[in-house]
Amino acid sequence: MEEWTVKVNHCAVKKEKPQTDQLEFGRIFTDHMFVMDYSEPLGWHDARIVPYQPLTIDPSAMIFHYGQSVFEGLKAYQTPEGTIQLFRPEKNLQRLNRSNDRLCIPAIDEAFILEALKQLIYLDKEWIPSAEGTSLYIRPFIISTEPYIGVAPSHQYKFVIILSPVGAYYKEGINPVKIAVENHYVRAVKGGTGEAKTGGNYASSLKAQETCSQKGFAQVLWLDGVEKKYIEEVGSMNVFFKINGKVYTPMLNGSILEGVTRNSVIQLLKHWNIPVIEEKLSMEKLYQAYLDGELEEAFGTGTAAVISPIGQLSWEDKDLMINNGTTGELAKSLYTTLTNIQYGKEADPFHWVEKVSEAYAVK
Amino acid sequence: MEEWTVKVNHCAVKKEKPQTDQLEFGRIFTDHMFVMDYSEPLGWHDARIVPYQPLTIDPSAMIFHYGQSVFEGLKAYQTPEGTIQLFRPEKNLQRLNRSNDRLCIPAIDEAFILEALKQLIYLDKEWIPSAEGTSLYIRPFIISTEPYIGVAPSHQYKFVIILSPVGAYYKEGINPVKIAVENHYVRAVKGGTGEAKTGGNYASSLKAQETCSQKGFAQVLWLDGVEKKYIEEVGSMNVFFKINGKVYTPMLNGSILEGVTRNSVIQLLKHWNIPVIEEKLSMEKLYQAYLDGELEEAFGTGTAAVISPIGQLSWEDKDLMINNGTTGELAKSLYTTLTNIQYGKEADPFHWVEKVSEAYAVK
Ligand SMILES: Cc1ncc(COP(=O)(O)O)c(C=O)c1O
Ligand SMILES: Cc1ncc(COP(=O)(O)O)c(C=O)c1O
């Protein structure tokens, strides 16, 4: 990279910002975006903040044919004092580079991108909503842009970061969902791309998601692709079960995405002296715990919802009602503590929060 | 669709055409492309032929994040008399709709698209090279374009067809390749998207491809994702083995792409009274046949190479030399017959060929 600075091209007219009650997820974008190109022999270059605008890409570009792409998802939060904070952003950038490696995409400079991201956020800071539970969703992504329709890693890429103000996930308080265990479709398999955040994993999940929504379920619980016995994850969330006072979550095995929220929940539980067990967890074992009256809570974890309690789990012809379909105490505590840290309402013993200070103001 | 006609917007200046000896695969594109949009409630609409040009797409479009996309690959051939022909194009359009179904993309009207494709080809017919073995590669693809970063099927799509003149695959005669059996990475698994032609399958294959090329292999032979025992396919080809006078190919199982060439080879073999067996074929069985001196030939089949003989297969620590590393008689006959039919040099007993006549000239 010839120079590690970000050129800034301000938008001519600022767009109107949405009312808090109009905020949905992922439909409205801010005034600016970050873009950086990769080509050989330059490497990553031309880092710039530009007005939010369409991408102009040759129809033969790899992204349209062979799906070579990766992405991330994190949030910026506004504290009651008006400070802007990120939650463990370095974790997302590390994961982005792990995804890059799996997809044969050249690594990015994590420290530089974090600086650039802070500049972008500070520039568009008026877009960060302040109402309870709202935030600014951050979507970094990399696409392969070489105009060549042969199956091979691209020699050209575009890295883009767009920002979207999002409403509170739980508008009427944290609410349990109904989940169906997926017995037919498979999201990922060992040796595949499950632990990378790449488009194909999500494209392949659409059909199962569509089928389960028609039956009234919010999401599917994926089983392993080999034996269809072991629990993997839910939609865009990792999954946890409280069984007889202990908390279980599937161990990372190459086909599960390593969630930042998952990691934070595990740390919090250990801090609270609650036993956490990462293991190969079968539906059989879970069902047995349910029959024994020991399945106390179940919840998903992810950036969007933070904690999403599971009130009912359908598996084959069995319906598991969990905690009478209500939100458990542990899910509530985790949700409260995590969101309090994210919004700067509680001490941050793990140094998870990173401030976006005035130092990042574009000169 | 309000009207099933194709509007045509001619390019202002025609590009220079490449010399035959400069032709590579997939780097040069013709003067025009076909485009059609999907939105609700219109459905597929605004079918048009326009000058070849970049696509302008919002950075939040689904294709850049969740990889919801499908594609096809087929060819137009010029006969010695100057006639333009397609090879079983309806098969590719049927497969496109099967891929659409798996990826939750609305179906296209196959008959209409075939008509539109013929118009596009006729308009750019000067781009079809005439030298031995050259052809015009046709790449239809559909991408999800809704500007929304939520994991759900898109409500907007673009269908595009681009054309690329390509050189002879075998410049110095048909040559056997070295293939490595892939024991670590997995391309597809039952319940996944293996039988659909969607970007994610190819993105996930890049890493294995990269690793095997570094070791001097042309492609990897994929095994099933569940037991890593059964043969699936090779790169962008299906695979066949001649064992003791009989021809074996992996049966379609949900994770293998159903190749048009595979289907044509099976029909030809039956026509020639050579036994063809579609079965769950293990590497163990293949290796035993090799040890018994019964593995006579191995070859891949696909639109790009038609027939690609396999001269050497590496599996774990074993190297299988097949037919002394030379092209077998059966592979040669299949290659000659198929290409003769495609280029109109031999009778077409199966009615595989479809002419693109003057009737498709744009008025
Ligand atoms: C497949 C999948 N699993 C799990 C997660 C949860 O990860 P995180 O906690 O980092 O948001 C996500 C969302 O990013 C996801 O897409
Ligand atoms: C994964 C895969 N398998 C097999 C094939 C062969 O199919 P066809 O003979 O239709 O070209 C292709 C190429 O289209 C492919 O991409």
Side-chain angles (χ1 to χ4, degrees):
Chain A
M1 181 126 183
E2 78 277 31
E3 36 157 353
W4 286 105
T5 54
V6 181
K7 274 161 273 163
V8 180
N9 177 4
H10 289 265
C11 65
V13 187
K14 289 190 180 175
K15 292 184 275 194
E16 211 182 311
K17 296 179 184 64
Q19 304 289 317
T20 297
D21 59 2
Q22 289 167 359
L23 286 174
E24 295 180 65
F25 183 86
R27 293 211 181 265
I28 294 170
F29 300 90
T30 67
D31 289 320
H32 298 90
M33 64 193 210
F34 173 82
V35 186
M36 180 169 80
D37 296 311
Y38 179 93
S39 64
E40 288 164 11
L42 281 182
W44 285 112
H45 66 280
D46 201 8
R48 57 203 187 270
I49 289 173
V50 295
Y52 185 92
Q53 61 192 277
L55 302 174
T56 298
I57 300 176
D58 198 89
S60 68
M62 306 269 306
I63 180 64
F64 298 134
H65 306 269
Y66 308 122
Q68 195 196 6
S69 65
V70 295
F71 70 97
E72 267 305 325
L74 65 164
K75 285 174 170 177
Y77 309 87
Q78 197 175 139
T79 70
E81 295 76 39
T83 307
I84 306 163
Q85 330 199 115
L86 295 169
F87 184 75
R88 311 187 79 187
E90 71 290 351
K91 280 264 170 200
N92 293 89
L93 296 174
Q94 285 159 11
R95 187 169 66 188
L96 187 62
N97 266 340
R98 290 201 303 277
S99 301
N100 279 337
D101 182 62
R102 181 63 181 86
L103 274 294
C104 302
I105 295 175
I108 51 143
D109 181 322
E110 295 165 23
F112 170 69
I113 291 299
L114 185 52
E115 295 289 290
L117 171 62
K118 287 177 182 171
Q119 285 188 43
L120 176 67
I121 290 171
Y122 201 86
L123 182 63
D124 279 353
K125 64 180 181 309
E126 289 159 27
W127 284 88
I128 310 178
S130 57
E132 174 86 31
T134 63
S135 59
L136 186 72
Y137 185 78
I138 302 163
R139 170 54 60 86
F141 63 100
I142 302 179
I143 54 173
S144 46
T145 52
E146 185 180 353
Y148 169 50
I149 50 170
V151 183
S154 177
H155 296 93
Q156 294 168 32
Y157 299 89
K158 231 178 230 312
F159 176 110
V160 183
I161 307 177
I162 55 178
L163 307 175
S164 174
V166 298
Y169 197 90
Y170 297 107
K171 293 203 172 65
E172 293 135 17
I174 180 168
N175 254 324
V177 290
K178 282 168 65 177
I179 302 273
V181 179
E182 177 60 52
N183 281 307
H184 177 67
Y185 293 111
V186 169
R187 187 193 92 98
V189 68
K190 201 164 181 306
T193 54
E195 66 184 337
K197 224 167 149 66
T198 180
N201 295 341
Y202 300 81
S204 74
S205 77
L206 295 173
K207 187 88 180 176
Q209 177 63 38
E210 195 176 67
T211 313
C212 89
S213 334
Q214 281 157 6
K215 295 188 192 141
F217 296 98
Q219 299 266 359
V220 302
L221 178 70
W222 297 105
L223 299 181
D224 76 283
V226 173
E227 300 181 62
K228 300 234 182 90
K229 272 189 187 167
Y230 299 97
I231 295 169
E232 298 231 319
E233 52 186 317
V234 173
S236 357
M237 292 191 286
N238 296 110
V239 68
F240 287 77
F241 302 93
K242 182 159 170 260
I243 300 174
N244 199 14
K246 292 180 184 155
V247 179
Y248 292 79
T249 191
M251 63 187 282
L252 301 175
N253 61 355
S255 59
I256 294 174
L257 191 86
E258 184 177 351
V260 177
T261 321
R262 175 187 185 279
N263 180 287
S264 310
V265 162
I266 292 174
Q267 283 194 52
L268 265 183
L269 291 172
K270 288 186 177 162
H271 188 65
W272 292 345
N273 288 318
I274 297 174
V276 200
I277 297 134
E278 298 179 62
E279 65 169 34
K280 206 169 154 180
L281 182 61
S282 69
M283 262 315 293
E284 267 312 337
K285 170 167 172 169
L286 191 74
Y287 186 59
Q288 192 54 52
Y290 172 75
L291 291 180
D292 297 344
E294 297 192 334
L295 177 54
E296 297 157 0
E297 292 192 36
F299 52 88
T301 68
T303 296
V306 188
I307 302 290
S308 178
I310 300 171
Q312 187 186 323
L313 195 61
S314 289
W315 178 45
E316 294 165 354
D317 53 353
K318 302 175 264 294
D319 274 325
L320 289 65
M321 279 294 281
I322 303 168
N323 200 32
N324 294 317
T326 67
T327 301
E329 285 312 313
L330 185 63
K332 262 187 228 162
S333 306
L334 285 165
Y335 180 79
T336 307
T337 305
L338 280 170
T339 53
N340 277 348
I341 294 174
Q342 288 164 343
Y343 288 91
K345 298 179 184 171
E346 196 174 312
D348 171 25
F350 309 99
H351 307 290
W352 282 339
V353 153
E354 206 158 321
K355 299 212 185 313
V356 182
S357 73
E358 235 192 286
Y360 293 96
V362 168
K363 267 120 227 163
Chain B
M1 178 127 183
E2 79 277 32
E3 36 158 353
W4 287 104
T5 54
V6 181
K7 274 162 274 162
V8 180
N9 177 4
H10 289 265
C11 65
V13 187
K14 288 189 181 176
K15 292 185 273 194
E16 211 182 312
K17 294 176 186 67
Q19 302 290 317
T20 298
D21 58 2
Q22 288 168 359
L23 287 173
E24 293 180 67
F25 183 87
R27 293 213 180 264
I28 294 170
F29 299 91
T30 67
D31 289 318
H32 298 91
M33 63 193 212
F34 173 82
V35 185
M36 181 169 79
D37 294 313
Y38 180 93
S39 64
E40 287 163 11
L42 280 182
W44 286 111
H45 66 280
D46 202 9
R48 57 203 187 270
I49 289 172
V50 296
Y52 185 92
Q53 62 192 276
L55 302 174
T56 298
I57 300 176
D58 199 88
S60 68
M62 306 268 307
I63 180 64
F64 298 134
H65 306 269
Y66 307 122
Q68 195 195 5
S69 64
V70 294
F71 70 98
E72 269 303 327
L74 66 164
K75 285 175 171 177
Y77 309 87
Q78 196 175 136
T79 71
E81 295 75 39
T83 306
I84 305 162
Q85 337 198 106
L86 296 168
F87 184 74
R88 312 187 77 186
E90 72 289 352
K91 279 265 169 199
N92 293 89
L93 297 174
Q94 285 159 11
R95 186 169 67 190
L96 187 63
N97 266 340
R98 290 201 303 276
S99 300
N100 279 337
D101 182 62
R102 181 63 182 84
L103 273 295
C104 303
I105 296 175
I108 51 142
D109 181 322
E110 296 165 23
F112 171 70
I113 290 300
L114 186 51
E115 296 288 290
L117 172 61
K118 288 179 182 172
Q119 286 188 42
L120 176 67
I121 291 171
Y122 201 87
L123 182 63
D124 278 353
K125 66 179 180 309
E126 289 158 27
W127 284 89
I128 310 178
S130 57
E132 174 87 31
T134 63
S135 60
L136 186 73
Y137 184 78
I138 302 162
R139 170 53 59 87
F141 63 99
I142 301 179
I143 53 174
S144 45
T145 53
E146 185 179 353
Y148 169 50
I149 50 169
V151 183
S154 177
H155 296 94
Q156 294 168 33
Y157 299 89
K158 232 178 230 311
F159 176 109
V160 183
I161 307 176
I162 55 178
L163 308 175
S164 173
V166 298
Y169 196 89
Y170 296 108
K171 294 202 171 66
E172 293 134 17
I174 179 168
N175 254 324
V177 291
K178 282 169 67 178
I179 302 274
V181 180
E182 177 61 52
N183 281 307
H184 177 67
Y185 295 111
V186 169
R187 188 194 90 97
V189 68
K190 201 165 181 306
T193 53
E195 66 184 339
K197 223 167 150 67
T198 180
N201 295 341
Y202 299 81
S204 73
S205 78
L206 295 173
K207 188 88 179 174
Q209 176 64 38
E210 194 176 67
T211 312
C212 90
S213 334
Q214 281 158 5
K215 295 188 191 140
F217 296 99
Q219 300 265 359
V220 302
L221 177 70
W222 296 107
L223 299 181
D224 75 284
V226 173
E227 300 182 62
K228 298 233 183 91
K229 272 189 188 168
Y230 298 98
I231 296 170
E232 298 230 319
E233 53 186 315
V234 174
S236 355
M237 292 191 285
N238 296 108
V239 68
F240 287 77
F241 302 93
K242 183 159 169 261
I243 299 174
N244 200 14
K246 292 180 184 157
V247 179
Y248 292 80
T249 193
M251 63 187 284
L252 301 176
N253 60 354
S255 58
I256 295 174
L257 192 85
E258 184 177 352
V260 176
T261 321
R262 175 186 184 279
N263 180 287
S264 309
V265 162
I266 292 173
Q267 283 194 52
L268 264 183
L269 291 172
K270 288 187 176 160
H271 188 65
W272 292 344
N273 288 316
I274 297 173
V276 200
I277 297 134
E278 298 179 61
E279 64 169 34
K280 206 168 154 178
L281 181 63
S282 70
M283 260 316 292
E284 269 311 338
K285 170 167 171 169
L286 191 75
Y287 186 60
Q288 193 53 53
Y290 172 76
L291 291 180
D292 297 346
E294 297 192 333
L295 177 54
E296 297 157 357
E297 292 192 35
F299 53 88
T301 69
T303 295
V306 188
I307 301 292
S308 179
I310 299 170
Q312 187 186 321
L313 195 60
S314 288
W315 179 45
E316 293 164 358
D317 54 353
K318 300 175 267 292
D319 274 325
L320 289 65
M321 279 294 281
I322 302 167
N323 201 32
N324 295 315
T326 67
T327 301
E329 286 310 313
L330 184 64
K332 263 188 228 164
S333 306
L334 286 165
Y335 180 78
T336 307
T337 305
L338 281 170
T339 53
N340 278 348
I341 294 174
Q342 287 164 342
Y343 288 91
K345 297 178 184 172
E346 197 176 312
D348 171 25
F350 308 99
H351 306 290
W352 281 339
V353 153
E354 206 159 320
K355 300 212 184 315
V356 182
S357 72
E358 236 192 284
Y360 292 97
V362 168
K363 268 122 226 162

